[in-house]
């Protein structure tokens, strides 16, 4: 099979490429693209890249994922997350490719006092969430939508690396205890994206690692795993953040 990747150099895209290397299947052909090779905001570039290579599966991982930056640059967020996905869907229809689109828990408003399932009604509160939902809505019913959450891994920027950097300095660490989610390791997410693409599974899937935890609890576990003192982590509420975050969580 021929696979076309967007966002191939990001933390999830890098793990997808590593997964293909581990598969070592000579019948696989992987066309890896990123912002420096295909501009997701350029319809002609997307159509040209996909229609000229005629992939069987498109793993659409590329996105603007900086949540607060999306709040400050909404035009860029919609151009990259929503409109680009429309272009990918257009190209996929032309060549008969199956699309796997990586979405986010930010399509929900966070008011449900239980885990969200695939049939809950989205109600995004942030520009990031609304732009990613726009990407979902740009796809046809045969596409695969994979919503994930709190992604971290060896590559790219993520909360684990941020915590380890901050913890290198003395003093307490303040993290919110009223935001709860499922941390998801990119190395575990990657093979599921490939599997759903190969099997051409239609519909929406929530794909995370298991174990709900607050940011406060997660940071405590990061410190404990690093041999540091988890008692350094002080719980606070979201409304106590100083300065407050631009995007609602």
């Amino acid at each position: 099979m021929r696979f076309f990747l967007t966002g191939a150099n990001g933390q999830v895209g890098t793990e997808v490429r590593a997964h293909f290397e581990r598969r070592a299947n000579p019948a696989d052909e992987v066309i890896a693209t990123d912002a420096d090779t295909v501009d997701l905001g350029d319809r002609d570039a997307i159509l040209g890249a996909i229609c000229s290579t005629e992939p069987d599966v498109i793993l659409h991982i590329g996105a603007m994922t900086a949540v607060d930056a999306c709040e400050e640059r909404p035009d860029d967020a919609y151009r990259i997350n929503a409109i680009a996905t429309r272009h990918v869907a257009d190209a996929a229809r032309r060549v008969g490719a199956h699309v796997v689109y990586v979405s986010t828990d930010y399509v929900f408003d966070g008011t449900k006092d239980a885990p969200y399932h695939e049939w809950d009604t989205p109600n995004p509160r942030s520009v990031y969430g609304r732009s990613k939902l726009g990407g979902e809505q740009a796809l046809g019913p045969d596409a695969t939508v994979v919503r994930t959450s709190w992604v971290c891994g060896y590559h790219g920027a993520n909360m684990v690396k941020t915590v380890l950097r901050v913890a290198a300095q003395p003093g307490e660490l303040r993290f919110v205890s009223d935001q709860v989610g499922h941390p998801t390791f990119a190395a575990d997410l990657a093979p599921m994206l490939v599997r759903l693409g190969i099997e051409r599974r239609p519909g929406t899937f929530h794909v995370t690692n298991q174990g709900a935890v607050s940011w406060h609890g997660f940071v405590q576990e990061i410190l404990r795993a690093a041999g540091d003192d988890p008692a350094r982590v002080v719980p606070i509420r979201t409304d106590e953040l100083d300065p407050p975050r631009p995007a609602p969580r």
Side-chain angles (χ1 to χ4, degrees):
M1 299 180 72
R2 181 176 295 162
F3 298 84
F4 186 97
L5 275 61
T6 68
N9 294 332
Q11 65 174 341
V12 176
T14 301
E15 292 293 353
V16 168
R17 290 191 289 111
H19 175 70
F20 279 114
E21 291 173 3
R22 289 191 295 271
R23 274 168 57 94
N25 185 344
D28 289 342
E29 181 180 353
V30 180
I31 302 155
T33 70
D34 206 88
D36 58 348
T37 53
V38 176
D39 179 4
L40 288 179
D42 186 332
R43 178 176 181 270
D44 291 340
I46 293 175
L47 290 179
I50 293 174
C51 291
S52 64
T53 54
E54 297 186 345
D56 300 294
V57 176
I58 300 170
L59 300 177
H60 183 29
I61 304 167
M64 183 175 176
T65 59
V67 177
D68 292 324
C70 287
E71 209 71 21
E72 296 161 355
R73 294 159 44 204
D75 289 348
D76 288 339
Y78 277 97
R79 180 176 63 87
I80 297 171
N81 293 341
I83 298 173
T85 306
R86 181 188 300 171
H87 302 331
V88 168
D90 182 9
R93 283 190 291 269
R94 294 170 186 245
V95 300
H98 182 79
V99 178
V100 178
Y101 169 68
V102 179
S103 191
T104 172
D105 58 331
Y106 276 80
V107 301
F108 298 111
D109 59 19
T111 59
K112 182 181 178 182
D113 190 23
Y116 282 94
H117 56 65
E118 289 87 344
W119 298 274
D120 282 319
T121 302
N123 184 32
R125 300 172 58 208
S126 65
V127 170
Y128 173 63
R130 290 192 291 271
S131 66
K132 292 297 288 182
L133 180 61
E136 293 186 15
Q137 294 169 339
L139 297 166
D142 292 334
T144 304
V145 173
V146 176
R147 294 176 181 149
T148 190
S149 64
W150 294 22
V151 178
C152 53
Y154 185 79
H155 307 279
N158 56 65
M159 177 60 82
V160 175
K161 292 184 178 181
T162 298
V163 169
L164 293 175
R165 183 177 68 252
V166 172
Q169 304 299 319
E172 68 180 24
L173 286 70
R174 295 161 55 88
F175 282 87
V176 296
S177 59
D178 57 355
Q179 296 179 28
V180 178
H182 284 236
T184 303
F185 292 100
D188 293 331
L189 175 61
M192 183 58 73
L193 298 178
V194 174
R195 174 184 170 185
L196 291 170
I198 291 173
E199 296 178 2
R200 302 177 79 93
R201 297 277 195 97
T204 300
F205 298 83
H206 289 183
V207 179
T208 68
N209 285 118
Q210 292 305 292
V213 68
S214 70
W215 282 120
H216 169 259
F218 187 41
V219 173
Q220 284 188 311
E221 290 303 317
I222 294 170
L223 262 62
R224 184 176 288 111
D228 206 334
D229 182 8
R232 292 177 59 193
V233 190
V234 177
I236 61 171
R237 299 188 311 272
T238 298
D239 59 14
E240 294 179 286
L241 284 170
D242 186 21
R245 296 288 188 90
R249 263 66 175 176

